[in-house]
């Protein structure tokens, strides 16, 4: 997703690489053949792994299953990462965002001002444009095609800078039935239900 | 001229549909499944009943599309002999539209972004559909 959203690879090339990798069993080789360097690719793999660990840890884990699956991931990290090291990185990220009191999965954000303040970076302008009041940091990360951690941190900083604020529940959830009159309960039509054609009125 | 006596979805003075209960179900679904962006409950003829959607989404439009989508899927299921249709899902490169049958007279539409966990959605929606069906028919 990061490769596609950044425009680093076209969707057609990505699909072709996926198809090719079924036979060669190496997505990395298929992507490298399409002009993406091994170092760049491995950098992305590491970033995705760290972001995945953060996304898992910052959410709620209801249950987990340990299985014997030995299927290798599509794009494995060349040298792997020790679980202790990954946990350590993740714990530091969790500690860092704890100071912001922004829940990446719960809190929706809206711009704090009606008019967009001048001098925003392109990255911040993009975040403001996506802050509809119905999107959480997680939703924005997907909409922007970026990692959850960098987007969460940037949103938290923008709240601290007075550019965004957490949306009230009435904004993040807007249920409407347009004041329509109550409808008859949805029950299956009985035998007295009929559609008649008055041929004399045709 | 055709005259319909006894429409499937008449407005009945005095009856009360519990819109608050329906809204609560839609809200819980969006809160419980990350990636759900918009939800609509509509009659199977494409008339929206209640919706929780972004400003740029027209519930009437979505309801009409969903009704057509569900109608085609239902027809396919019946013609091919797949039994009673429960749901149909449109997969796009940018997201999903899942349409659930609520009995034969209503439907629920769930729109999701590309990060939606579809398995989680299907798991969570089953009891929601049952409860919404009860609310609509009580």
């Amino acid at each position: 997703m990061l490769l596609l959203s950044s425009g680093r690879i076209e969707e057609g090339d990505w699909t072709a690489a996926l198809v090719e990798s079924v036979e060669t069993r190496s997505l990395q080789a298929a992507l490298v053949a399409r002009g993406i360097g091994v170092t760049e690719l491995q950098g992305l793999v590491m970033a995705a792994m760290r972001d995945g660990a953060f996304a898992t840890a910052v959410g709620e884990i209801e249950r987990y299953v340990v299985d014997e699956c030995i299927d290798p991931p599509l794009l494995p990290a060349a040298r792997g990462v020790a679980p202790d090291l990954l946990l350590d990185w993740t714990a530091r990220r969790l500690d860092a965002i704890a100071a912001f009191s922004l829940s990446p999965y719960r809190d929706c954000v809206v711009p704090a001002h009606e008019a967009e303040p001048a001098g925003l970076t392109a990255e911040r302008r993009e975040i403001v444009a996506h802050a509809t009041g119905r999107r959480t940091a997680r939703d924005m990360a997907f909409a922007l095609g970026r990692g959850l951690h960098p987007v969460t941190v940037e949103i938290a900083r923008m709240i601290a800078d007075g550019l965004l604020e957490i949306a009230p529940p009435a904004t993040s959830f807007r249920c409407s039935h347009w004041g329509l009159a109550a409808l008859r309960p949805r029950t299956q039509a009985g035998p007295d239900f009929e559609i008649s054609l008055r041929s004399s009125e045709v | 001229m055709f005259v319909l006596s006894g429409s499937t979805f008449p407005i009945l003075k005095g009856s009360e549909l519990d819109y608050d209960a329906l809204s609560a179900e839609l809200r819980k679904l969006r809160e419980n499944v990350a990636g759900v962006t918009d939800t609509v409950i509509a009659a199977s003829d494409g008339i929206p009943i209640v919706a929780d959607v972004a400003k740029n989404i027209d519930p009437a439009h979505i309801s009409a599309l969903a009704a057509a989508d569900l109608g085609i899927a239902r027809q396919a299921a019946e013609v091919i002999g797949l039994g009673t249709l429960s749901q149909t899902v449109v997969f796009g490169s940018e997201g999903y539209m899942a349409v659930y049958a609520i009995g034969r007279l209503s439907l629920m539409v769930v729109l999701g972004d590309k990060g939606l966990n579809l398995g989680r959605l299907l798991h969570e929606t089953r009891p929601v559909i049952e409860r919404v069906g009860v609310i609509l028919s009580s």
Side-chain angles (χ1 to χ4, degrees), chain A residues 134 138 172 182 193-194 196, chain B residues 3 5-6 15 30 52 113 136:
Chain A
R134 291 175 59 88
R138 174 258 168 231
S172 56
F193 176 82
E194 59 169 320
S196 67
Chain B
V3 177
S5 69
S15 69
R30 192 147 78 82
D52 165 40
D113 64 24
L136 287 173

Side-chain angles (χ1 to χ4, degrees), chain A residues 27-43:
Chain A
L27 180 58
Q28 177 160 313
L31 291 171
V32 169
R34 283 163 179 80
I36 298 176
V38 174
T39 312
E40 180 186 358
L41 210 49
Q42 280 299 313

Side-chain angles (χ1 to χ4, degrees), chain B residues 65-126:
Chain B
L65 286 171
D69 183 26
L70 196 67
I72 293 285
R74 181 173 275 144
Q75 186 87 348
E78 287 175 6
V79 169
I80 300 166
L82 301 179
T84 306
L85 181 83
S86 57
Q87 64 200 38
T88 176
V89 183
V90 176
F91 293 74
S93 60
E94 297 301 314
Y96 302 87
M97 176 174 85
V99 185
Y100 300 85
I102 306 174
R104 284 196 73 92
L105 299 182
S106 310
L107 59 87
M108 181 171 81
V109 191
V110 178
L111 304 184
D113 64 24
K114 56 188 165 188
L116 177 74
N117 180 337
L118 197 61
R120 175 77 192 257
L121 176 70
L122 299 182
H123 175 73
E124 291 278 339
T125 36
R126 195 167 299 174

Side-chain angles (χ1 to χ4, degrees), chain A residues 21-57:
Chain A
S21 70
V22 173
E23 199 167 317
T24 62
R25 296 186 175 277
S26 172
L27 180 58
Q28 177 160 313
L31 291 171
V32 169
R34 283 163 179 80
I36 298 176
V38 174
T39 312
E40 180 186 358
L41 210 49
Q42 280 299 313
L44 271 173
V45 167
M46 289 301 289
M49 188 195 299
R50 292 174 67 159
D51 203 53
F54 170 77
T56 306

